[in-house]
Amino acid sequence: MDCTVRTGTESLWATLGGDPALVDRVEFGGVAGLLPARLPVMDLARAAVAVCGLAAVEHARVAGPVRVDDGAVATAFVSERHLRVDGRAPVTFAPLSRFWRAADGWVRTHANYPHHKAALLAALGAADSVEAVAEAIGGRKAVEVETAVYAAGGLAVALRTPAEWAAHEQGREVAARPLLTRSRTDEAAPRRRDGRPLRVLDLTRVIAGPVATRTLALLGADVLRIDPPGRPELPDQHADTDAGKRTAALDLDRPSDRRTFDELLDAADVLVTGYRPGSLERYGLERPGLVTARLSAWGDYGPWGGRRGFDSLVQVATGIAVEEGSPEEPGALPAQALDHGTGYLLAAAVLRSLTEQERDGGSRLVRLALAQTGHWLAHGLPRYAPERYLTESEGPLGRLRHAVSPVTYEGGPAGWSRPPGVAGADAPEWTTA
């Protein structure tokens, strides 16, 4: 297995504060060459699943080993594409969720949810058709579309290069922060469980948060997902990411539903949120002894801290779509890897926080963002760089740049004893000792 896999796992496990010795419990294997991309997507996927497994065996106090199979990992990271409901393939992106040519570049929109679609059309003043939206966007600059659609409550992002994102204020904020943060917020005792299953209150949507809570359900947690009555999860998203959970609808602005929710939260061990930063604060979600995990698209800081976002949009804003594209058009990762990777990281962070809380007490807060996972994918993992495996030498043919030999061993030669000479210029005889 490539050393970058173990390097990525060690890096993530260290970020989670885990015992370095536990990394030896991970066994990697399976089919190679899956999720091909210019960025090290498969390394991210393996490492995120590996640390989730490590956090699970640590919390459960079992010896392991943790087996990470590339085939299982790659399939899980595109689980929404493999889903079938009575033989029907899922709808992954609505017609208006796509790339569009703007007057000076490209824009990506997300309009899977009806209220986001309505906001997009209202901001553009366009009819509900691909042709009308294409015409409305084509006559405007990309950033103008981004600004107008977000102001209307919709989702649109202008395509940026990696350099443009690095210079952007939100990009600088993301780069200056760690991949994830875990903190102890008070000295409260952990919730008493008395042998009952872990209780997880799930206030997340789309993929990343639901993948995390689906994983916690797999590991034995009693997961209850709450959605607002008027905005249920998309049916195919629900079928793909809500295995092992129970789901309910509550309107937190209705007094009776709010009382029910408060009672649920009072008895929960873990709260996972995935809504736009700041949108749930008025409900007073803090509780002593609770482990809270907050997931966002862009982070809860900087000029974009209050913005909604999804994996596909984060790829576009951060330059990933440029790296994975061509001169003619932007591209995309082979999976919604920021969503899935962040989901497994979130589950791992919750489990590590529970392990530490059971030992030391204290309420705990975990924060993750898709943009920070994207930054780690682009800058935190080793990438194949041919220059590392090239060397130069002088000889009869001039100065050559050439590949080093892949045949190496302890005490073996570092390279060839002589460079190539002029073809046919040597005497037909053996060299003397």
Side-chain angles (χ1 to χ4, degrees):
M1 184 61 66
D2 193 315
C3 67
T4 60
V5 178
R6 187 158 294 278
T7 300
T9 302
E10 290 172 348
S11 173
L12 286 186
W13 191 237
T15 298
L16 290 165
D19 178 358
L22 295 184
V23 176
D24 292 336
R25 296 188 186 183
V26 183
E27 297 177 356
F28 297 98
V31 180
L34 304 178
L35 301 183
R38 295 191 181 105
L39 291 169
V41 173
M42 196 64 212
D43 289 341
L44 164 67
R46 290 190 199 101
V49 171
V51 297
C52 188
L54 281 177
V57 300
E58 179 192 41
H59 184 251
R61 297 182 176 87
V62 298
V66 174
R67 296 186 176 92
V68 179
D69 181 285
D70 274 12
V73 171
T75 303
F77 266 57
V78 291
S79 60
E80 63 275 7
R81 301 179 197 171
H82 293 291
L83 176 71
R84 295 294 181 272
V85 180
D86 288 334
R88 176 186 61 80
V91 176
T92 53
F93 285 105
L96 301 186
S97 298
R98 49 168 282 185
F99 281 108
W100 308 87
R101 277 198 178 275
D104 61 344
W106 292 87
V107 172
R108 174 113 193 187
T109 56
H110 196 290
N112 284 11
Y113 290 94
H115 57 293
H116 290 155
K117 174 182 172 181
L120 172 68
L121 296 175
L124 297 175
D128 183 5
S129 72
V130 170
E131 294 76 16
V133 172
E135 182 178 357
I137 293 177
R140 307 186 193 186
K141 293 183 177 180
V143 172
E144 290 176 1
V145 174
E146 174 185 276
T147 302
V149 173
Y150 264 106
L155 293 113
V157 168
L159 180 72
R160 290 172 173 83
T161 66
E164 287 169 339
W165 177 246
H168 190 277
E169 186 176 349
Q170 190 67 29
R172 294 196 301 270
E173 292 273 3
V174 169
R177 284 171 164 77
L179 170 60
L180 58 89
T181 60
R182 295 185 313 117
S183 58
R184 178 175 177 162
T185 59
D186 62 30
E187 301 302 315
R191 304 292 176 95
R192 291 188 60 181
R193 291 168 52 193
D194 298 323
R196 64 167 171 77
L198 184 73
R199 290 173 177 164
V200 178
L201 197 55
D202 180 0
L203 304 183
T204 69
R205 295 172 76 79
V206 195
I207 297 177
V211 162
T213 51
R214 180 183 69 183
T215 303
L216 295 173
L218 171 75
L219 299 173
D222 179 7
V223 179
L224 178 60
R225 172 173 171 163
I226 304 296
D227 285 288
R231 293 182 177 178
E233 182 59 280
L234 299 172
D236 290 340
Q237 298 264 124
H238 165 67
D240 182 46
T241 60
D242 283 338
K245 310 174 194 177
R246 291 175 300 114
T247 62
L250 289 175
D251 181 352
L252 300 191
D253 292 322
R254 181 184 299 156
S256 60
D257 283 7
R258 175 65 183 277
R259 286 193 295 271
T260 299
F261 175 80
D262 285 341
E263 291 170 359
L264 290 169
L265 186 56
D266 288 342
D269 303 298
V270 176
L271 171 67
V272 185
T273 68
Y275 287 78
R276 177 176 55 83
S279 61
L280 299 177
E281 288 182 356
R282 68 184 186 276
Y283 299 116
L285 303 181
E286 296 80 12
R287 296 291 190 281
L290 191 68
V291 172
T292 301
R294 295 178 186 166
L295 170 70
S296 62
W298 311 103
D300 55 1
Y301 48 78
W304 286 16
R307 287 195 177 192
R308 302 172 181 85
F310 296 107
D311 182 309
S312 57
L313 302 181
V314 174
Q315 290 188 40
V316 173
T318 61
I320 290 174
V322 171
E323 291 212 49
E324 295 295 332
S326 68
E328 289 74 35
E329 60 183 356
L333 297 175
Q336 293 191 70
L338 307 185
D339 261 334
H340 286 274
T342 304
Y344 290 106
L345 281 175
L346 191 154
V350 166
L351 291 166
R352 285 248 60 247
S353 296
L354 287 166
T355 297
E356 293 179 350
Q357 184 194 60
E358 289 164 5
R359 183 187 66 218
D360 303 325
S363 303
R364 306 283 170 150
L365 175 62
V366 173
R367 294 187 294 179
L368 300 91
L370 301 184
Q372 288 177 217
T373 303
H375 183 79
W376 192 74
L377 171 65
H379 303 283
L381 282 165
R383 289 203 237 174
Y384 167 64
E387 293 75 15
R388 293 176 53 199
Y389 309 102
L390 298 174
T391 188
E392 292 188 352
S393 60
E394 295 281 359
L397 301 183
R399 187 164 187 81
L400 297 182
R401 186 183 75 164
H402 57 89
V404 301
S405 174
V407 179
T408 60
Y409 56 91
E410 184 84 21
W416 289 273
S417 60
R418 61 195 302 264
V422 176
D426 295 306
E429 59 188 24
W430 296 116
T431 58
T432 56

